[in-house]
PDB file of all heavy atoms in Angstrom:
ATOM      1  N   LEU A   1      67.463  57.590  56.955  1.00  0.00           N
ATOM      2  CA  LEU A   1      66.707  57.350  55.743  1.00  0.00           C
ATOM      3  C   LEU A   1      65.306  57.900  55.977  1.00  0.00           C
ATOM      4  O   LEU A   1      64.661  57.557  56.976  1.00  0.00           O
ATOM      5  CB  LEU A   1      66.634  55.854  55.430  1.00  0.00           C
ATOM      6  CG  LEU A   1      67.817  55.218  54.696  1.00  0.00           C
ATOM      7  CD1 LEU A   1      69.075  55.241  55.544  1.00  0.00           C
ATOM      8  CD2 LEU A   1      67.489  53.795  54.281  1.00  0.00           C
ATOM      9  N   GLN A   2      64.864  58.738  55.095  1.00  0.00           N
ATOM     10  CA  GLN A   2      63.566  59.388  55.235  1.00  0.00           C
ATOM     11  C   GLN A   2      62.649  58.949  54.102  1.00  0.00           C
ATOM     12  O   GLN A   2      62.853  59.317  52.945  1.00  0.00           O
ATOM     13  CB  GLN A   2      63.729  60.908  55.208  1.00  0.00           C
ATOM     14  CG  GLN A   2      62.440  61.682  55.418  1.00  0.00           C
ATOM     15  CD  GLN A   2      61.917  61.592  56.829  1.00  0.00           C
ATOM     16  OE1 GLN A   2      62.683  61.618  57.793  1.00  0.00           O
ATOM     17  NE2 GLN A   2      60.606  61.456  56.967  1.00  0.00           N
ATOM     18  N   ALA A   3      61.639  58.166  54.457  1.00  0.00           N
ATOM     19  CA  ALA A   3      60.680  57.685  53.460  1.00  0.00           C
ATOM     20  C   ALA A   3      59.488  58.628  53.395  1.00  0.00           C
ATOM     21  O   ALA A   3      59.042  59.153  54.418  1.00  0.00           O
ATOM     22  CB  ALA A   3      60.218  56.281  53.807  1.00  0.00           C
ATOM     23  N   SER A   4      58.971  58.819  52.195  1.00  0.00           N
ATOM     24  CA  SER A   4      57.805  59.672  52.012  1.00  0.00           C
ATOM     25  C   SER A   4      57.040  59.232  50.762  1.00  0.00           C
ATOM     26  O   SER A   4      57.530  58.402  49.992  1.00  0.00           O
ATOM     27  CB  SER A   4      58.223  61.141  51.887  1.00  0.00           C
ATOM     28  OG  SER A   4      59.073  61.307  50.759  1.00  0.00           O
ATOM     29  N   GLY A   5      55.858  59.810  50.583  1.00  0.00           N
ATOM     30  CA  GLY A   5      55.093  59.557  49.369  1.00  0.00           C
ATOM     31  C   GLY A   5      53.930  58.606  49.517  1.00  0.00           C
ATOM     32  O   GLY A   5      53.187  58.382  48.565  1.00  0.00           O
ATOM     33  N   GLY A   6      53.753  58.042  50.689  1.00  0.00           N
ATOM     34  CA  GLY A   6      52.630  57.147  50.879  1.00  0.00           C
ATOM     35  C   GLY A   6      51.316  57.911  50.899  1.00  0.00           C
ATOM     36  O   GLY A   6      51.288  59.131  50.849  1.00  0.00           O
ATOM     37  N   GLY A   7      50.232  57.176  50.940  1.00  0.00           N
ATOM     38  CA  GLY A   7      48.929  57.809  50.966  1.00  0.00           C
ATOM     39  C   GLY A   7      47.840  56.819  50.620  1.00  0.00           C
ATOM     40  O   GLY A   7      48.032  55.608  50.698  1.00  0.00           O
ATOM     41  N   LEU A   8      46.705  57.376  50.236  1.00  0.00           N
ATOM     42  CA  LEU A   8      45.544  56.561  49.888  1.00  0.00           C
ATOM     43  C   LEU A   8      45.374  56.543  48.377  1.00  0.00           C
ATOM     44  O   LEU A   8      45.457  57.587  47.726  1.00  0.00           O
ATOM     45  CB  LEU A   8      44.293  57.151  50.537  1.00  0.00           C
ATOM     46  CG  LEU A   8      42.961  56.487  50.220  1.00  0.00           C
ATOM     47  CD1 LEU A   8      42.944  55.069  50.758  1.00  0.00           C
ATOM     48  CD2 LEU A   8      41.816  57.301  50.822  1.00  0.00           C
ATOM     49  N   ALA A   9      45.174  55.366  47.821  1.00  0.00           N
ATOM     50  CA  ALA A   9      44.958  55.227  46.383  1.00  0.00           C
ATOM     51  C   ALA A   9      43.861  54.202  46.145  1.00  0.00           C
ATOM     52  O   ALA A   9      43.603  53.340  46.986  1.00  0.00           O
ATOM     53  CB  ALA A   9      46.252  54.789  45.687  1.00  0.00           C
ATOM     54  N   GLN A  10      43.224  54.320  45.007  1.00  0.00           N
ATOM     55  CA  GLN A  10      42.228  53.330  44.619  1.00  0.00           C
ATOM     56  C   GLN A  10      42.906  52.176  43.911  1.00  0.00           C
ATOM     57  O   GLN A  10      44.003  52.325  43.355  1.00  0.00           O
ATOM     58  CB  GLN A  10      41.184  53.965  43.701  1.00  0.00           C
ATOM     59  CG  GLN A  10      40.292  54.970  44.392  1.00  0.00           C
ATOM     60  CD  GLN A  10      39.162  55.445  43.496  1.00  0.00           C
ATOM     61  OE1 GLN A  10      39.305  55.472  42.278  1.00  0.00           O
ATOM     62  NE2 GLN A  10      38.035  55.808  44.093  1.00  0.00           N
ATOM     63  N   ALA A  11      42.257  51.038  43.926  1.00  0.00           N
ATOM     64  CA  ALA A  11      42.780  49.893  43.199  1.00  0.00           C
ATOM     65  C   ALA A  11      42.974  50.275  41.740  1.00  0.00           C
ATOM     66  O   ALA A  11      42.109  50.916  41.136  1.00  0.00           O
ATOM     67  CB  ALA A  11      41.826  48.715  43.317  1.00  0.00           C
ATOM     68  N   GLY A  12      44.131  49.896  41.212  1.00  0.00           N
ATOM     69  CA  GLY A  12      44.475  50.264  39.851  1.00  0.00           C
ATOM     70  C   GLY A  12      45.240  51.564  39.749  1.00  0.00           C
ATOM     71  O   GLY A  12      45.747  51.903  38.675  1.00  0.00           O
ATOM     72  N   GLY A  13      45.306  52.291  40.843  1.00  0.00           N
ATOM     73  CA  GLY A  13      45.987  53.571  40.857  1.00  0.00           C
ATOM     74  C   GLY A  13      47.483  53.440  41.069  1.00  0.00           C
ATOM     75  O   GLY A  13      48.038  52.338  41.072  1.00  0.00           O
ATOM     76  N   SER A  14      48.122  54.597  41.265  1.00  0.00           N
ATOM     77  CA  SER A  14      49.572  54.641  41.402  1.00  0.00           C
ATOM     78  C   SER A  14      49.992  55.550  42.550  1.00  0.00           C
ATOM     79  O   SER A  14      49.284  56.494  42.913  1.00  0.00           O
ATOM     80  CB  SER A  14      50.208  55.166  40.113  1.00  0.00           C
ATOM     81  OG  SER A  14      49.914  54.338  39.011  1.00  0.00           O
ATOM     82  N   LEU A  15      51.139  55.245  43.099  1.00  0.00           N
ATOM     83  CA  LEU A  15      51.804  56.087  44.087  1.00  0.00           C
ATOM     84  C   LEU A  15      53.300  56.018  43.829  1.00  0.00           C
ATOM     85  O   LEU A  15      53.797  55.038  43.262  1.00  0.00           O
ATOM     86  CB  LEU A  15      51.512  55.620  45.512  1.00  0.00           C
ATOM     87  CG  LEU A  15      50.125  55.885  46.092  1.00  0.00           C
ATOM     88  CD1 LEU A  15      49.968  55.171  47.436  1.00  0.00           C
ATOM     89  CD2 LEU A  15      49.868  57.373  46.260  1.00  0.00           C
ATOM     90  N   ARG A  16      54.005  57.030  44.276  1.00  0.00           N
ATOM     91  CA  ARG A  16      55.461  57.032  44.156  1.00  0.00           C
ATOM     92  C   ARG A  16      56.064  57.306  45.516  1.00  0.00           C
ATOM     93  O   ARG A  16      55.807  58.361  46.107  1.00  0.00           O
ATOM     94  CB  ARG A  16      55.926  58.094  43.168  1.00  0.00           C
ATOM     95  CG  ARG A  16      57.417  58.035  42.837  1.00  0.00           C
ATOM     96  CD  ARG A  16      57.840  59.288  42.122  1.00  0.00           C
ATOM     97  NE  ARG A  16      59.160  59.202  41.521  1.00  0.00           N
ATOM     98  CZ  ARG A  16      59.964  60.246  41.351  1.00  0.00           C
ATOM     99  NH1 ARG A  16      59.555  61.445  41.721  1.00  0.00           N
ATOM    100  NH2 ARG A  16      61.141  60.091  40.778  1.00  0.00           N
ATOM    101  N   LEU A  17      56.853  56.379  45.986  1.00  0.00           N
ATOM    102  CA  LEU A  17      57.533  56.529  47.265  1.00  0.00           C
ATOM    103  C   LEU A  17      58.959  57.007  47.038  1.00  0.00           C
ATOM    104  O   LEU A  17      59.587  56.659  46.039  1.00  0.00           O
ATOM    105  CB  LEU A  17      57.549  55.195  48.015  1.00  0.00           C
ATOM    106  CG  LEU A  17      56.211  54.477  48.194  1.00  0.00           C
ATOM    107  CD1 LEU A  17      56.411  53.217  49.031  1.00  0.00           C
ATOM    108  CD2 LEU A  17      55.173  55.381  48.816  1.00  0.00           C
ATOM    109  N   SER A  18      59.452  57.799  47.984  1.00  0.00           N
ATOM    110  CA  SER A  18      60.823  58.282  47.926  1.00  0.00           C
ATOM    111  C   SER A  18      61.532  57.939  49.224  1.00  0.00           C
ATOM    112  O   SER A  18      60.904  57.880  50.286  1.00  0.00           O
ATOM    113  CB  SER A  18      60.859  59.796  47.729  1.00  0.00           C
ATOM    114  OG  SER A  18      60.226  60.178  46.536  1.00  0.00           O
ATOM    115  N   CYS A  19      62.835  57.748  49.130  1.00  0.00           N
ATOM    116  CA  CYS A  19      63.649  57.495  50.314  1.00  0.00           C
ATOM    117  C   CYS A  19      64.941  58.276  50.164  1.00  0.00           C
ATOM    118  O   CYS A  19      65.763  57.963  49.298  1.00  0.00           O
ATOM    119  CB  CYS A  19      63.925  56.011  50.467  1.00  0.00           C
ATOM    120  SG  CYS A  19      64.994  55.611  51.868  1.00  0.00           S
ATOM    121  N   ALA A  20      65.104  59.297  50.981  1.00  0.00           N
ATOM    122  CA  ALA A  20      66.282  60.140  50.932  1.00  0.00           C
ATOM    123  C   ALA A  20      67.232  59.789  52.067  1.00  0.00           C
ATOM    124  O   ALA A  20      66.791  59.525  53.191  1.00  0.00           O
ATOM    125  CB  ALA A  20      65.879  61.615  51.039  1.00  0.00           C
ATOM    126  N   THR A  21      68.515  59.797  51.767  1.00  0.00           N
ATOM    127  CA  THR A  21      69.514  59.483  52.787  1.00  0.00           C
ATOM    128  C   THR A  21      70.214  60.756  53.236  1.00  0.00           C
ATOM    129  O   THR A  21      70.369  61.704  52.461  1.00  0.00           O
ATOM    130  CB  THR A  21      70.555  58.499  52.255  1.00  0.00           C
ATOM    131  OG1 THR A  21      71.262  59.103  51.158  1.00  0.00           O
ATOM    132  CG2 THR A  21      69.896  57.224  51.757  1.00  0.00           C
ATOM    133  N   SER A  22      70.656  60.761  54.479  1.00  0.00           N
ATOM    134  CA  SER A  22      71.394  61.899  55.005  1.00  0.00           C
ATOM    135  C   SER A  22      72.211  61.439  56.196  1.00  0.00           C
ATOM    136  O   SER A  22      72.079  60.307  56.666  1.00  0.00           O
ATOM    137  CB  SER A  22      70.442  63.020  55.421  1.00  0.00           C
ATOM    138  OG  SER A  22      69.593  62.590  56.475  1.00  0.00           O
ATOM    139  N   GLY A  23      73.055  62.337  56.686  1.00  0.00           N
ATOM    140  CA  GLY A  23      73.848  62.021  57.863  1.00  0.00           C
ATOM    141  C   GLY A  23      75.238  61.550  57.492  1.00  0.00           C
ATOM    142  O   GLY A  23      75.795  61.951  56.475  1.00  0.00           O
ATOM    143  N   ARG A  24      75.779  60.686  58.316  1.00  0.00           N
ATOM    144  CA  ARG A  24      77.146  60.187  58.129  1.00  0.00           C
ATOM    145  C   ARG A  24      77.309  59.577  56.739  1.00  0.00           C
ATOM    146  O   ARG A  24      76.424  58.892  56.236  1.00  0.00           O
ATOM    147  CB  ARG A  24      77.448  59.139  59.205  1.00  0.00           C
ATOM    148  CG  ARG A  24      78.817  58.517  59.117  1.00  0.00           C
ATOM    149  CD  ARG A  24      79.106  57.671  60.354  1.00  0.00           C
ATOM    150  NE  ARG A  24      78.187  56.579  60.509  1.00  0.00           N
ATOM    151  CZ  ARG A  24      78.371  55.363  59.991  1.00  0.00           C
ATOM    152  NH1 ARG A  24      79.431  55.124  59.240  1.00  0.00           N
ATOM    153  NH2 ARG A  24      77.490  54.395  60.199  1.00  0.00           N
ATOM    154  N   MET A  25      78.449  59.848  56.140  1.00  0.00           N
ATOM    155  CA  MET A  25      78.688  59.338  54.793  1.00  0.00           C
ATOM    156  C   MET A  25      78.903  57.829  54.843  1.00  0.00           C
ATOM    157  O   MET A  25      79.813  57.345  55.504  1.00  0.00           O
ATOM    158  CB  MET A  25      79.916  60.004  54.197  1.00  0.00           C
ATOM    159  CG  MET A  25      79.688  61.449  53.809  1.00  0.00           C
ATOM    160  SD  MET A  25      78.478  61.596  52.487  1.00  0.00           S
ATOM    161  CE  MET A  25      79.376  60.857  51.145  1.00  0.00           C
ATOM    162  N   VAL A  26      78.028  57.112  54.185  1.00  0.00           N
ATOM    163  CA  VAL A  26      78.191  55.673  54.048  1.00  0.00           C
ATOM    164  C   VAL A  26      77.939  55.322  52.591  1.00  0.00           C
ATOM    165  O   VAL A  26      77.330  56.084  51.855  1.00  0.00           O
ATOM    166  CB  VAL A  26      77.220  54.891  54.955  1.00  0.00           C
ATOM    167  CG1 VAL A  26      77.455  55.223  56.409  1.00  0.00           C
ATOM    168  CG2 VAL A  26      75.780  55.160  54.564  1.00  0.00           C
ATOM    169  N   ARG A  27      78.390  54.175  52.232  1.00  0.00           N
ATOM    170  CA  ARG A  27      78.136  53.691  50.880  1.00  0.00           C
ATOM    171  C   ARG A  27      76.901  52.793  50.921  1.00  0.00           C
ATOM    172  O   ARG A  27      76.961  51.666  51.397  1.00  0.00           O
ATOM    173  CB  ARG A  27      79.342  52.909  50.357  1.00  0.00           C
ATOM    174  CG  ARG A  27      80.594  53.770  50.208  1.00  0.00           C
ATOM    175  CD  ARG A  27      81.722  52.979  49.572  1.00  0.00           C
ATOM    176  NE  ARG A  27      82.943  53.763  49.485  1.00  0.00           N
ATOM    177  CZ  ARG A  27      83.220  54.592  48.491  1.00  0.00           C
ATOM    178  NH1 ARG A  27      82.366  54.720  47.496  1.00  0.00           N
ATOM    179  NH2 ARG A  27      84.342  55.283  48.473  1.00  0.00           N
ATOM    180  N   HIS A  28      75.804  53.342  50.456  1.00  0.00           N
ATOM    181  CA  HIS A  28      74.560  52.569  50.432  1.00  0.00           C
ATOM    182  C   HIS A  28      74.584  51.667  49.202  1.00  0.00           C
ATOM    183  O   HIS A  28      73.938  51.954  48.195  1.00  0.00           O
ATOM    184  CB  HIS A  28      73.357  53.504  50.402  1.00  0.00           C
ATOM    185  CG  HIS A  28      73.287  54.438  51.581  1.00  0.00           C
ATOM    186  ND1 HIS A  28      72.746  54.060  52.796  1.00  0.00           N
ATOM    187  CD2 HIS A  28      73.693  55.718  51.723  1.00  0.00           C
ATOM    188  CE1 HIS A  28      72.815  55.078  53.624  1.00  0.00           C
ATOM    189  NE2 HIS A  28      73.397  56.098  53.022  1.00  0.00           N
ATOM    190  N   TYR A  29      75.358  50.582  49.296  1.00  0.00           N
ATOM    191  CA  TYR A  29      75.568  49.739  48.132  1.00  0.00           C
ATOM    192  C   TYR A  29      74.288  49.081  47.643  1.00  0.00           C
ATOM    193  O   TYR A  29      74.134  48.841  46.452  1.00  0.00           O
ATOM    194  CB  TYR A  29      76.609  48.677  48.425  1.00  0.00           C
ATOM    195  CG  TYR A  29      78.029  49.163  48.313  1.00  0.00           C
ATOM    196  CD1 TYR A  29      79.047  48.582  49.057  1.00  0.00           C
ATOM    197  CD2 TYR A  29      78.364  50.202  47.462  1.00  0.00           C
ATOM    198  CE1 TYR A  29      80.360  49.023  48.947  1.00  0.00           C
ATOM    199  CE2 TYR A  29      79.662  50.656  47.347  1.00  0.00           C
ATOM    200  CZ  TYR A  29      80.659  50.062  48.085  1.00  0.00           C
ATOM    201  OH  TYR A  29      81.937  50.509  47.974  1.00  0.00           O
ATOM    202  N   VAL A  30      73.399  48.789  48.534  1.00  0.00           N
ATOM    203  CA  VAL A  30      72.095  48.267  48.142  1.00  0.00           C
ATOM    204  C   VAL A  30      71.025  49.022  48.915  1.00  0.00           C
ATOM    205  O   VAL A  30      71.140  49.199  50.125  1.00  0.00           O
ATOM    206  CB  VAL A  30      71.957  46.761  48.436  1.00  0.00           C
ATOM    207  CG1 VAL A  30      70.583  46.256  47.970  1.00  0.00           C
ATOM    208  CG2 VAL A  30      73.060  45.972  47.761  1.00  0.00           C
ATOM    209  N   MET A  31      70.028  49.480  48.202  1.00  0.00           N
ATOM    210  CA  MET A  31      68.878  50.115  48.855  1.00  0.00           C
ATOM    211  C   MET A  31      67.625  49.341  48.477  1.00  0.00           C
ATOM    212  O   MET A  31      67.464  48.941  47.319  1.00  0.00           O
ATOM    213  CB  MET A  31      68.751  51.576  48.460  1.00  0.00           C
ATOM    214  CG  MET A  31      69.915  52.424  48.943  1.00  0.00           C
ATOM    215  SD  MET A  31      69.613  54.187  48.865  1.00  0.00           S
ATOM    216  CE  MET A  31      68.421  54.396  50.195  1.00  0.00           C
ATOM    217  N   GLY A  32      66.785  49.148  49.466  1.00  0.00           N
ATOM    218  CA  GLY A  32      65.616  48.327  49.218  1.00  0.00           C
ATOM    219  C   GLY A  32      64.365  48.860  49.884  1.00  0.00           C
ATOM    220  O   GLY A  32      64.423  49.804  50.681  1.00  0.00           O
ATOM    221  N   TRP A  33      63.268  48.259  49.511  1.00  0.00           N
ATOM    222  CA  TRP A  33      61.973  48.561  50.122  1.00  0.00           C
ATOM    223  C   TRP A  33      61.379  47.267  50.691  1.00  0.00           C
ATOM    224  O   TRP A  33      61.431  46.217  50.049  1.00  0.00           O
ATOM    225  CB  TRP A  33      61.008  49.143  49.091  1.00  0.00           C
ATOM    226  CG  TRP A  33      61.336  50.532  48.671  1.00  0.00           C
ATOM    227  CD1 TRP A  33      62.082  50.914  47.602  1.00  0.00           C
ATOM    228  CD2 TRP A  33      60.926  51.742  49.318  1.00  0.00           C
ATOM    229  NE1 TRP A  33      62.167  52.284  47.536  1.00  0.00           N
ATOM    230  CE2 TRP A  33      61.456  52.825  48.578  1.00  0.00           C
ATOM    231  CE3 TRP A  33      60.145  52.035  50.434  1.00  0.00           C
ATOM    232  CZ2 TRP A  33      61.243  54.155  48.926  1.00  0.00           C
ATOM    233  CZ3 TRP A  33      59.933  53.352  50.777  1.00  0.00           C
ATOM    234  CH2 TRP A  33      60.480  54.399  50.024  1.00  0.00           C
ATOM    235  N   PHE A  34      60.857  47.395  51.885  1.00  0.00           N
ATOM    236  CA  PHE A  34      60.129  46.321  52.530  1.00  0.00           C
ATOM    237  C   PHE A  34      58.737  46.846  52.877  1.00  0.00           C
ATOM    238  O   PHE A  34      58.509  48.057  52.877  1.00  0.00           O
ATOM    239  CB  PHE A  34      60.832  45.877  53.818  1.00  0.00           C
ATOM    240  CG  PHE A  34      62.127  45.148  53.587  1.00  0.00           C
ATOM    241  CD1 PHE A  34      63.271  45.822  53.159  1.00  0.00           C
ATOM    242  CD2 PHE A  34      62.221  43.781  53.793  1.00  0.00           C
ATOM    243  CE1 PHE A  34      64.459  45.155  52.941  1.00  0.00           C
ATOM    244  CE2 PHE A  34      63.398  43.104  53.583  1.00  0.00           C
ATOM    245  CZ  PHE A  34      64.527  43.788  53.159  1.00  0.00           C
ATOM    246  N   ARG A  35      57.833  45.957  53.192  1.00  0.00           N
ATOM    247  CA  ARG A  35      56.507  46.391  53.635  1.00  0.00           C
ATOM    248  C   ARG A  35      55.984  45.456  54.711  1.00  0.00           C
ATOM    249  O   ARG A  35      56.361  44.284  54.778  1.00  0.00           O
ATOM    250  CB  ARG A  35      55.529  46.454  52.462  1.00  0.00           C
ATOM    251  CG  ARG A  35      55.196  45.105  51.834  1.00  0.00           C
ATOM    252  CD  ARG A  35      54.314  45.301  50.603  1.00  0.00           C
ATOM    253  NE  ARG A  35      53.944  44.029  49.985  1.00  0.00           N
ATOM    254  CZ  ARG A  35      53.287  43.923  48.833  1.00  0.00           C
ATOM    255  NH1 ARG A  35      52.906  45.022  48.173  1.00  0.00           N
ATOM    256  NH2 ARG A  35      53.007  42.738  48.347  1.00  0.00           N
ATOM    257  N   GLN A  36      55.116  46.021  55.542  1.00  0.00           N
ATOM    258  CA  GLN A  36      54.546  45.241  56.622  1.00  0.00           C
ATOM    259  C   GLN A  36      53.071  45.572  56.749  1.00  0.00           C
ATOM    260  O   GLN A  36      52.705  46.714  57.050  1.00  0.00           O
ATOM    261  CB  GLN A  36      55.269  45.531  57.939  1.00  0.00           C
ATOM    262  CG  GLN A  36      54.847  44.640  59.081  1.00  0.00           C
ATOM    263  CD  GLN A  36      55.786  44.750  60.268  1.00  0.00           C
ATOM    264  OE1 GLN A  36      56.583  45.690  60.386  1.00  0.00           O
ATOM    265  NE2 GLN A  36      55.732  43.763  61.155  1.00  0.00           N
TER     266      GLN A  36
END
């Protein structure tokens, strides 16, 4: 899973994150985002 799209934004602004899958064929029945 390859996440991208992060960066610096001002309060009130917007960003768009992407997560692309590759490799062995699996059924990604649920995809989610976490943060730390």
Side-chain angles (χ1 to χ4, degrees):
L1 277 66
Q2 183 71 39
S4 61
L8 176 65
Q10 291 187 331
S14 299
L15 287 172
R16 188 193 192 210
L17 308 183
S18 300
C19 177
T21 63
S22 63
R24 179 171 61 90
M25 287 295 292
V26 299
R27 296 185 183 275
H28 301 277
Y29 279 152
V30 182
M31 295 195 71
W33 288 94
F34 290 73
R35 66 185 181 187
Q36 187 167 16

